[in-house]
Coordinates of all heavy atoms in Angstrom, one line a residue:
L50 N -55.1 194.0 127.0 CA -56.3 194.2 127.9 C -55.9 194.2 129.3 O -55.4 193.1 129.7 CB -57.4 193.4 127.5 CG -58.8 193.7 128.2 CD1 -59.4 195.1 127.8 CD2 -59.7 192.6 127.8
G51 N -56.2 195.1 130.1 CA -56.0 195.1 131.5 C -57.2 195.3 132.3 O -58.0 196.2 132.0
L52 N -57.4 194.6 133.5 CA -58.6 194.7 134.3 C -58.3 195.6 135.4 O -57.3 195.6 136.1 CB -59.0 193.4 134.8 CG -60.3 193.1 135.5 CD1 -61.4 193.4 134.5 CD2 -60.4 191.7 136.0
V53 N -59.2 196.6 135.7 CA -59.0 197.6 136.8 C -59.5 196.9 138.1 O -60.5 196.4 138.2 CB -59.8 198.9 136.5 CG1 -59.7 199.8 137.7 CG2 -59.2 199.5 135.3
N54 N -58.7 197.1 139.1 CA -59.1 196.6 140.5 C -58.4 197.6 141.5 O -57.3 197.7 141.7 CB -58.6 195.2 140.7 CG -58.9 194.6 142.1 OD1 -60.0 195.2 142.7 ND2 -58.3 193.5 142.4
R55 N -59.3 198.4 142.1 CA -58.8 199.4 143.1 C -57.7 200.2 142.6 O -56.6 200.4 143.3 CB -58.3 198.6 144.3 CG -59.5 197.8 145.1 CD -58.9 197.1 146.3 NE -60.0 196.3 146.8 CZ -59.8 195.6 147.8 NH1 -58.7 195.5 148.5 NH2 -60.8 194.7 148.2
R56 N -57.9 201.0 141.5 CA -57.0 201.9 140.9 C -55.7 201.3 140.4 O -54.7 201.9 140.2 CB -56.7 203.0 141.9 CG -58.0 203.8 142.4 CD -58.9 204.3 141.4 NE -58.2 205.3 140.5 CZ -58.6 205.8 139.4 NH1 -59.8 205.4 139.0 NH2 -58.1 206.7 138.7
R57 N -55.6 200.0 140.3 CA -54.5 199.2 139.8 C -55.0 198.5 138.6 O -56.2 198.2 138.4 CB -53.9 198.3 140.8 CG -53.4 198.8 142.1 CD -52.0 199.4 142.0 NE -51.1 198.5 141.4 CZ -49.8 198.7 141.3 NH1 -49.3 199.7 141.7 NH2 -49.0 197.8 140.7
V58 N -54.1 198.1 137.6 CA -54.4 197.3 136.4 C -53.7 196.1 136.5 O -52.5 196.0 136.7 CB -54.1 198.2 135.2 CG1 -54.4 197.4 134.0 CG2 -54.9 199.5 135.1
R59 N -54.4 195.0 136.2 CA -53.9 193.7 136.0 C -53.9 193.3 134.7 O -55.1 193.2 134.1 CB -54.6 192.6 137.0 CG -53.8 191.2 136.9 CD -54.5 190.3 137.8 NE -56.0 190.0 137.7 CZ -56.5 188.9 136.9 NH1 -55.6 188.1 136.4 NH2 -57.7 188.8 136.8
I60 N -52.8 193.1 133.9 CA -53.0 192.7 132.4 C -53.3 191.3 132.4 O -52.8 190.4 132.9 CB -51.5 192.9 131.9 CG1 -51.2 194.4 132.0 CG2 -51.6 192.6 130.3 CD1 -49.7 194.8 131.4
L61 N -54.5 191.2 131.7 CA -55.0 189.9 131.3 C -54.5 189.2 130.2 O -54.4 188.0 130.0 CB -56.5 189.9 131.3 CG -57.3 190.2 132.5 CD1 -58.8 190.4 132.1 CD2 -57.1 189.4 133.6
S62 N -54.2 190.1 129.1 CA -53.8 189.5 127.8 C -53.0 190.5 127.1 O -53.2 191.7 127.1 CB -55.0 189.1 127.0 OG -54.7 188.9 125.7
I63 N -52.0 190.0 126.3 CA -51.2 190.7 125.4 C -51.3 189.9 124.1 O -50.9 188.7 124.1 CB -49.7 190.9 125.8 CG1 -49.7 191.7 127.2 CG2 -49.0 191.6 124.7 CD1 -48.3 191.9 127.7
S64 N -51.8 190.4 123.0 CA -52.0 189.7 121.8 C -50.8 189.1 121.3 O -49.6 189.7 121.5 CB -52.6 190.6 120.7 OG -51.7 191.6 120.4

Side-chain angles (χ1 to χ4, degrees):
L50 184 66
L52 193 62
V53 173
N54 183 18
R55 298 182 187 178
R56 306 302 300 166
R57 299 282 304 191
V58 176
R59 181 173 66 96
I60 300 175
L61 294 178
S62 171
I63 300 173
S64 64

